[in-house]
Amino acid sequence: MDLSPSPFLLLISGPSGAGKSSVYLPLMEKDASLRFSVSCTTRPPRPGEVDGREYHFLSREEFLRQVDQGRFVEHFTVHDQLYGTRRADLDEMLAEGHTPVLDLDVQGGMRILSAYGDQVVSVFLFPPSWEELERRLRRRRTEDEQEIRLRLENAHRELRWADHYGYWVVNEVLEQAIDDLRAIVRAERLRRTRWPRPPLESSGRER
Ligand code: 5GP
């Protein structure tokens, strides 16, 4: 008896430094049906990042060629670099019964919501405070001062879109935030509308 729930996409947005990957990566390690949606980007890899794992790192020319071919369901400039999600990558994961996990900025998030509608479970991740967000961005030491300023400015802009997301999670205590995301995924799999049919149906005989 196959009662697997109809597939959905898990969209996660929130300001850079909110800790999105720290929240979804541990969950993905334990749940094989969650699959990271590897975006394309023109930004250079950071130390430790692997092409095809965190991102497909493309030259600007290659990125724009794929835009012309209509391969992106959404693509935007984020922090002065191009980022995009390929439609075929998402559709392939859904067809295999997997749950794509999309870590996107709010512009991309809105586009995914309009392209996939009710199939999207959207989560906005908040840092606990502005002070903490700035501390986290500085602690990462991956961006220079100008980039940190740019990311903080963008964070203000991103927060204005939080109302469009179905769930809000505050990443104050990491373990708690991971647990919250786990609860969302679990509840969404149990949503009545995702069941292909009832697990047990009335035989029609009334007593
Ligand atoms: P980072 O360069 O720190 O990895 O990512 C910067 C921002 O780009 C993050 O907010 C991330 O969510 C967003 N991002 C990553 N991939 C995509 C994508 O494919 N499309 C869009 N619109 N945003 C993305």
Side-chain angles (χ1 to χ4, degrees), residues 161-185:
W161 291 88
D163 279 355
H164 295 264
Y165 288 72
Y167 290 96
W168 288 356
V169 173
V170 181
N171 183 16
E172 182 161 22
V173 178
L174 181 61
E175 287 310 316
Q176 180 67 53
I178 296 169
D179 228 43
D180 288 345
L181 191 62
R182 183 180 295 119
I184 292 166
V185 170

PDB file of all heavy atoms in Angstrom, residues 161-185:
ATOM      1  N   TRP A 161       9.606  41.142   3.798  1.00  0.00           N
ATOM      2  CA  TRP A 161       8.877  40.129   3.017  1.00  0.00           C
ATOM      3  C   TRP A 161       8.450  38.942   3.861  1.00  0.00           C
ATOM      4  O   TRP A 161       7.840  37.997   3.354  1.00  0.00           O
ATOM      5  CB  TRP A 161       9.747  39.662   1.850  1.00  0.00           C
ATOM      6  CG  TRP A 161       9.904  40.744   0.840  1.00  0.00           C
ATOM      7  CD1 TRP A 161      10.866  41.715   0.831  1.00  0.00           C
ATOM      8  CD2 TRP A 161       9.054  41.014  -0.265  1.00  0.00           C
ATOM      9  NE1 TRP A 161      10.675  42.565  -0.226  1.00  0.00           N
ATOM     10  CE2 TRP A 161       9.563  42.151  -0.926  1.00  0.00           C
ATOM     11  CE3 TRP A 161       7.908  40.393  -0.783  1.00  0.00           C
ATOM     12  CZ2 TRP A 161       8.971  42.686  -2.056  1.00  0.00           C
ATOM     13  CZ3 TRP A 161       7.313  40.919  -1.908  1.00  0.00           C
ATOM     14  CH2 TRP A 161       7.848  42.059  -2.533  1.00  0.00           C
ATOM     15  N   ALA A 162       8.744  38.999   5.144  1.00  0.00           N
ATOM     16  CA  ALA A 162       8.481  37.836   6.009  1.00  0.00           C
ATOM     17  C   ALA A 162       7.001  37.447   6.035  1.00  0.00           C
ATOM     18  O   ALA A 162       6.667  36.277   6.206  1.00  0.00           O
ATOM     19  CB  ALA A 162       8.987  38.119   7.427  1.00  0.00           C
ATOM     20  N   ASP A 163       6.127  38.437   5.836  1.00  0.00           N
ATOM     21  CA  ASP A 163       4.669  38.166   5.860  1.00  0.00           C
ATOM     22  C   ASP A 163       4.216  37.194   4.776  1.00  0.00           C
ATOM     23  O   ASP A 163       3.128  36.640   4.856  1.00  0.00           O
ATOM     24  CB  ASP A 163       3.889  39.471   5.645  1.00  0.00           C
ATOM     25  CG  ASP A 163       3.787  40.270   6.925  1.00  0.00           C
ATOM     26  OD1 ASP A 163       4.232  39.759   7.963  1.00  0.00           O
ATOM     27  OD2 ASP A 163       3.259  41.399   6.866  1.00  0.00           O
ATOM     28  N   HIS A 164       5.020  37.037   3.755  1.00  0.00           N
ATOM     29  CA  HIS A 164       4.620  36.155   2.647  1.00  0.00           C
ATOM     30  C   HIS A 164       4.937  34.692   2.910  1.00  0.00           C
ATOM     31  O   HIS A 164       4.624  33.824   2.105  1.00  0.00           O
ATOM     32  CB  HIS A 164       5.312  36.594   1.354  1.00  0.00           C
ATOM     33  CG  HIS A 164       4.873  37.949   0.900  1.00  0.00           C
ATOM     34  ND1 HIS A 164       3.883  38.128  -0.035  1.00  0.00           N
ATOM     35  CD2 HIS A 164       5.271  39.183   1.293  1.00  0.00           C
ATOM     36  CE1 HIS A 164       3.706  39.429  -0.221  1.00  0.00           C
ATOM     37  NE2 HIS A 164       4.534  40.086   0.582  1.00  0.00           N
ATOM     38  N   TYR A 165       5.587  34.422   4.034  1.00  0.00           N
ATOM     39  CA  TYR A 165       6.007  33.047   4.335  1.00  0.00           C
ATOM     40  C   TYR A 165       5.029  32.402   5.315  1.00  0.00           C
ATOM     41  O   TYR A 165       4.490  33.065   6.203  1.00  0.00           O
ATOM     42  CB  TYR A 165       7.437  33.052   4.912  1.00  0.00           C
ATOM     43  CG  TYR A 165       8.450  33.359   3.830  1.00  0.00           C
ATOM     44  CD1 TYR A 165       8.559  34.638   3.288  1.00  0.00           C
ATOM     45  CD2 TYR A 165       9.249  32.349   3.308  1.00  0.00           C
ATOM     46  CE1 TYR A 165       9.450  34.913   2.261  1.00  0.00           C
ATOM     47  CE2 TYR A 165      10.150  32.613   2.286  1.00  0.00           C
ATOM     48  CZ  TYR A 165      10.244  33.897   1.765  1.00  0.00           C
ATOM     49  OH  TYR A 165      11.125  34.155   0.738  1.00  0.00           O
ATOM     50  N   GLY A 166       4.824  31.112   5.152  1.00  0.00           N
ATOM     51  CA  GLY A 166       3.831  30.398   5.958  1.00  0.00           C
ATOM     52  C   GLY A 166       4.270  30.129   7.385  1.00  0.00           C
ATOM     53  O   GLY A 166       3.434  30.008   8.280  1.00  0.00           O
ATOM     54  N   TYR A 167       5.571  29.986   7.611  1.00  0.00           N
ATOM     55  CA  TYR A 167       6.083  29.692   8.962  1.00  0.00           C
ATOM     56  C   TYR A 167       7.188  30.669   9.320  1.00  0.00           C
ATOM     57  O   TYR A 167       7.987  31.058   8.448  1.00  0.00           O
ATOM     58  CB  TYR A 167       6.674  28.270   9.014  1.00  0.00           C
ATOM     59  CG  TYR A 167       5.643  27.175   8.914  1.00  0.00           C
ATOM     60  CD1 TYR A 167       5.361  26.591   7.677  1.00  0.00           C
ATOM     61  CD2 TYR A 167       4.969  26.720  10.032  1.00  0.00           C
ATOM     62  CE1 TYR A 167       4.419  25.579   7.571  1.00  0.00           C
ATOM     63  CE2 TYR A 167       4.025  25.707   9.939  1.00  0.00           C
ATOM     64  CZ  TYR A 167       3.752  25.144   8.706  1.00  0.00           C
ATOM     65  OH  TYR A 167       2.824  24.143   8.600  1.00  0.00           O
ATOM     66  N   TRP A 168       7.255  31.010  10.589  1.00  0.00           N
ATOM     67  CA  TRP A 168       8.341  31.850  11.109  1.00  0.00           C
ATOM     68  C   TRP A 168       9.111  31.065  12.168  1.00  0.00           C
ATOM     69  O   TRP A 168       8.491  30.502  13.096  1.00  0.00           O
ATOM     70  CB  TRP A 168       7.776  33.113  11.781  1.00  0.00           C
ATOM     71  CG  TRP A 168       7.226  34.115  10.807  1.00  0.00           C
ATOM     72  CD1 TRP A 168       7.246  34.064   9.452  1.00  0.00           C
ATOM     73  CD2 TRP A 168       6.567  35.350  11.151  1.00  0.00           C
ATOM     74  NE1 TRP A 168       6.631  35.175   8.909  1.00  0.00           N
ATOM     75  CE2 TRP A 168       6.207  35.974   9.932  1.00  0.00           C
ATOM     76  CE3 TRP A 168       6.256  35.978  12.354  1.00  0.00           C
ATOM     77  CZ2 TRP A 168       5.553  37.204   9.886  1.00  0.00           C
ATOM     78  CZ3 TRP A 168       5.594  37.194  12.309  1.00  0.00           C
ATOM     79  CH2 TRP A 168       5.257  37.804  11.093  1.00  0.00           C
ATOM     80  N   VAL A 169      10.420  31.045  12.024  1.00  0.00           N
ATOM     81  CA  VAL A 169      11.268  30.378  13.021  1.00  0.00           C
ATOM     82  C   VAL A 169      12.329  31.387  13.461  1.00  0.00           C
ATOM     83  O   VAL A 169      12.898  32.097  12.626  1.00  0.00           O
ATOM     84  CB  VAL A 169      11.950  29.116  12.422  1.00  0.00           C
ATOM     85  CG1 VAL A 169      12.965  28.529  13.396  1.00  0.00           C
ATOM     86  CG2 VAL A 169      10.905  28.061  12.045  1.00  0.00           C
ATOM     87  N   VAL A 170      12.566  31.474  14.760  1.00  0.00           N
ATOM     88  CA  VAL A 170      13.609  32.367  15.280  1.00  0.00           C
ATOM     89  C   VAL A 170      14.809  31.518  15.668  1.00  0.00           C
ATOM     90  O   VAL A 170      14.674  30.574  16.451  1.00  0.00           O
ATOM     91  CB  VAL A 170      13.120  33.152  16.520  1.00  0.00           C
ATOM     92  CG1 VAL A 170      14.223  34.094  17.022  1.00  0.00           C
ATOM     93  CG2 VAL A 170      11.864  33.942  16.190  1.00  0.00           C
ATOM     94  N   ASN A 171      15.948  31.845  15.070  1.00  0.00           N
ATOM     95  CA  ASN A 171      17.152  31.072  15.378  1.00  0.00           C
ATOM     96  C   ASN A 171      17.930  31.743  16.513  1.00  0.00           C
ATOM     97  O   ASN A 171      18.931  32.416  16.282  1.00  0.00           O
ATOM     98  CB  ASN A 171      18.021  30.932  14.127  1.00  0.00           C
ATOM     99  CG  ASN A 171      19.243  30.086  14.398  1.00  0.00           C
ATOM    100  OD1 ASN A 171      19.313  29.369  15.399  1.00  0.00           O
ATOM    101  ND2 ASN A 171      20.208  30.154  13.501  1.00  0.00           N
ATOM    102  N   GLU A 172      17.448  31.525  17.714  1.00  0.00           N
ATOM    103  CA  GLU A 172      18.184  32.037  18.881  1.00  0.00           C
ATOM    104  C   GLU A 172      19.029  30.894  19.424  1.00  0.00           C
ATOM    105  O   GLU A 172      20.244  30.992  19.516  1.00  0.00           O
ATOM    106  CB  GLU A 172      17.209  32.550  19.934  1.00  0.00           C
ATOM    107  CG  GLU A 172      17.943  33.125  21.141  1.00  0.00           C
ATOM    108  CD  GLU A 172      17.084  34.037  21.981  1.00  0.00           C
ATOM    109  OE1 GLU A 172      15.846  33.919  21.910  1.00  0.00           O
ATOM    110  OE2 GLU A 172      17.664  34.867  22.709  1.00  0.00           O
ATOM    111  N   VAL A 173      18.348  29.781  19.767  1.00  0.00           N
ATOM    112  CA  VAL A 173      19.071  28.578  20.199  1.00  0.00           C
ATOM    113  C   VAL A 173      18.997  27.599  19.028  1.00  0.00           C
ATOM    114  O   VAL A 173      17.910  27.183  18.623  1.00  0.00           O
ATOM    115  CB  VAL A 173      18.401  27.965  21.457  1.00  0.00           C
ATOM    116  CG1 VAL A 173      19.119  26.702  21.881  1.00  0.00           C
ATOM    117  CG2 VAL A 173      18.387  29.000  22.573  1.00  0.00           C
ATOM    118  N   LEU A 174      20.170  27.276  18.464  1.00  0.00           N
ATOM    119  CA  LEU A 174      20.200  26.490  17.233  1.00  0.00           C
ATOM    120  C   LEU A 174      19.394  25.191  17.327  1.00  0.00           C
ATOM    121  O   LEU A 174      18.598  24.880  16.438  1.00  0.00           O
ATOM    122  CB  LEU A 174      21.656  26.204  16.842  1.00  0.00           C
ATOM    123  CG  LEU A 174      21.835  25.395  15.557  1.00  0.00           C
ATOM    124  CD1 LEU A 174      21.254  26.097  14.345  1.00  0.00           C
ATOM    125  CD2 LEU A 174      23.316  25.086  15.314  1.00  0.00           C
ATOM    126  N   GLU A 175      19.604  24.428  18.396  1.00  0.00           N
ATOM    127  CA  GLU A 175      18.911  23.136  18.529  1.00  0.00           C
ATOM    128  C   GLU A 175      17.395  23.307  18.462  1.00  0.00           C
ATOM    129  O   GLU A 175      16.688  22.472  17.909  1.00  0.00           O
ATOM    130  CB  GLU A 175      19.299  22.442  19.843  1.00  0.00           C
ATOM    131  CG  GLU A 175      20.712  21.877  19.839  1.00  0.00           C
ATOM    132  CD  GLU A 175      20.995  21.016  18.608  1.00  0.00           C
ATOM    133  OE1 GLU A 175      20.120  20.203  18.241  1.00  0.00           O
ATOM    134  OE2 GLU A 175      22.063  21.182  17.994  1.00  0.00           O
ATOM    135  N   GLN A 176      16.930  24.387  19.062  1.00  0.00           N
ATOM    136  CA  GLN A 176      15.492  24.662  19.069  1.00  0.00           C
ATOM    137  C   GLN A 176      14.991  24.973  17.653  1.00  0.00           C
ATOM    138  O   GLN A 176      13.943  24.485  17.221  1.00  0.00           O
ATOM    139  CB  GLN A 176      15.217  25.852  20.007  1.00  0.00           C
ATOM    140  CG  GLN A 176      13.759  26.237  20.111  1.00  0.00           C
ATOM    141  CD  GLN A 176      12.926  25.161  20.795  1.00  0.00           C
ATOM    142  OE1 GLN A 176      13.265  24.734  21.882  1.00  0.00           O
ATOM    143  NE2 GLN A 176      11.863  24.723  20.138  1.00  0.00           N
ATOM    144  N   ALA A 177      15.782  25.750  16.920  1.00  0.00           N
ATOM    145  CA  ALA A 177      15.378  26.120  15.559  1.00  0.00           C
ATOM    146  C   ALA A 177      15.362  24.879  14.653  1.00  0.00           C
ATOM    147  O   ALA A 177      14.477  24.726  13.808  1.00  0.00           O
ATOM    148  CB  ALA A 177      16.332  27.177  15.003  1.00  0.00           C
ATOM    149  N   ILE A 178      16.336  23.981  14.833  1.00  0.00           N
ATOM    150  CA  ILE A 178      16.370  22.738  14.040  1.00  0.00           C
ATOM    151  C   ILE A 178      15.118  21.918  14.345  1.00  0.00           C
ATOM    152  O   ILE A 178      14.459  21.391  13.447  1.00  0.00           O
ATOM    153  CB  ILE A 178      17.643  21.912  14.359  1.00  0.00           C
ATOM    154  CG1 ILE A 178      18.898  22.684  13.945  1.00  0.00           C
ATOM    155  CG2 ILE A 178      17.606  20.547  13.678  1.00  0.00           C
ATOM    156  CD1 ILE A 178      20.210  22.079  14.447  1.00  0.00           C
ATOM    157  N   ASP A 179      14.799  21.860  15.606  1.00  0.00           N
ATOM    158  CA  ASP A 179      13.612  21.114  16.046  1.00  0.00           C
ATOM    159  C   ASP A 179      12.334  21.714  15.463  1.00  0.00           C
ATOM    160  O   ASP A 179      11.423  20.989  15.079  1.00  0.00           O
ATOM    161  CB  ASP A 179      13.553  21.186  17.579  1.00  0.00           C
ATOM    162  CG  ASP A 179      13.311  19.840  18.162  1.00  0.00           C
ATOM    163  OD1 ASP A 179      13.942  18.889  17.673  1.00  0.00           O
ATOM    164  OD2 ASP A 179      12.474  19.747  19.079  1.00  0.00           O
ATOM    165  N   ASP A 180      12.279  23.026  15.422  1.00  0.00           N
ATOM    166  CA  ASP A 180      11.106  23.704  14.844  1.00  0.00           C
ATOM    167  C   ASP A 180      10.954  23.335  13.371  1.00  0.00           C
ATOM    168  O   ASP A 180       9.860  23.027  12.906  1.00  0.00           O
ATOM    169  CB  ASP A 180      11.235  25.228  14.979  1.00  0.00           C
ATOM    170  CG  ASP A 180      11.060  25.704  16.417  1.00  0.00           C
ATOM    171  OD1 ASP A 180      10.566  24.915  17.250  1.00  0.00           O
ATOM    172  OD2 ASP A 180      11.440  26.860  16.705  1.00  0.00           O
ATOM    173  N   LEU A 181      12.075  23.352  12.643  1.00  0.00           N
ATOM    174  CA  LEU A 181      12.003  23.030  11.215  1.00  0.00           C
ATOM    175  C   LEU A 181      11.592  21.564  11.027  1.00  0.00           C
ATOM    176  O   LEU A 181      10.804  21.234  10.133  1.00  0.00           O
ATOM    177  CB  LEU A 181      13.346  23.314  10.530  1.00  0.00           C
ATOM    178  CG  LEU A 181      13.322  23.267   9.012  1.00  0.00           C
ATOM    179  CD1 LEU A 181      12.389  24.310   8.422  1.00  0.00           C
ATOM    180  CD2 LEU A 181      14.725  23.471   8.429  1.00  0.00           C
ATOM    181  N   ARG A 182      12.121  20.702  11.892  1.00  0.00           N
ATOM    182  CA  ARG A 182      11.757  19.282  11.819  1.00  0.00           C
ATOM    183  C   ARG A 182      10.248  19.113  12.029  1.00  0.00           C
ATOM    184  O   ARG A 182       9.580  18.351  11.326  1.00  0.00           O
ATOM    185  CB  ARG A 182      12.527  18.504  12.894  1.00  0.00           C
ATOM    186  CG  ARG A 182      12.265  16.998  12.830  1.00  0.00           C
ATOM    187  CD  ARG A 182      13.034  16.250  13.906  1.00  0.00           C
ATOM    188  NE  ARG A 182      14.472  16.329  13.718  1.00  0.00           N
ATOM    189  CZ  ARG A 182      15.336  16.861  14.570  1.00  0.00           C
ATOM    190  NH1 ARG A 182      14.906  17.367  15.709  1.00  0.00           N
ATOM    191  NH2 ARG A 182      16.609  16.875  14.308  1.00  0.00           N
ATOM    192  N   ALA A 183       9.709  19.863  12.969  1.00  0.00           N
ATOM    193  CA  ALA A 183       8.276  19.781  13.269  1.00  0.00           C
ATOM    194  C   ALA A 183       7.441  20.253  12.072  1.00  0.00           C
ATOM    195  O   ALA A 183       6.408  19.672  11.760  1.00  0.00           O
ATOM    196  CB  ALA A 183       7.958  20.621  14.505  1.00  0.00           C
ATOM    197  N   ILE A 184       7.919  21.276  11.398  1.00  0.00           N
ATOM    198  CA  ILE A 184       7.191  21.797  10.231  1.00  0.00           C
ATOM    199  C   ILE A 184       7.140  20.734   9.136  1.00  0.00           C
ATOM    200  O   ILE A 184       6.088  20.437   8.574  1.00  0.00           O
ATOM    201  CB  ILE A 184       7.874  23.092   9.710  1.00  0.00           C
ATOM    202  CG1 ILE A 184       7.705  24.222  10.732  1.00  0.00           C
ATOM    203  CG2 ILE A 184       7.319  23.485   8.349  1.00  0.00           C
ATOM    204  CD1 ILE A 184       8.602  25.430  10.487  1.00  0.00           C
ATOM    205  N   VAL A 185       8.301  20.122   8.852  1.00  0.00           N
ATOM    206  CA  VAL A 185       8.357  19.101   7.793  1.00  0.00           C
ATOM    207  C   VAL A 185       7.447  17.938   8.148  1.00  0.00           C
ATOM    208  O   VAL A 185       6.693  17.431   7.318  1.00  0.00           O
ATOM    209  CB  VAL A 185       9.817  18.619   7.593  1.00  0.00           C
ATOM    210  CG1 VAL A 185       9.869  17.405   6.676  1.00  0.00           C
ATOM    211  CG2 VAL A 185      10.674  19.749   7.036  1.00  0.00           C
TER     212      VAL A 185
END
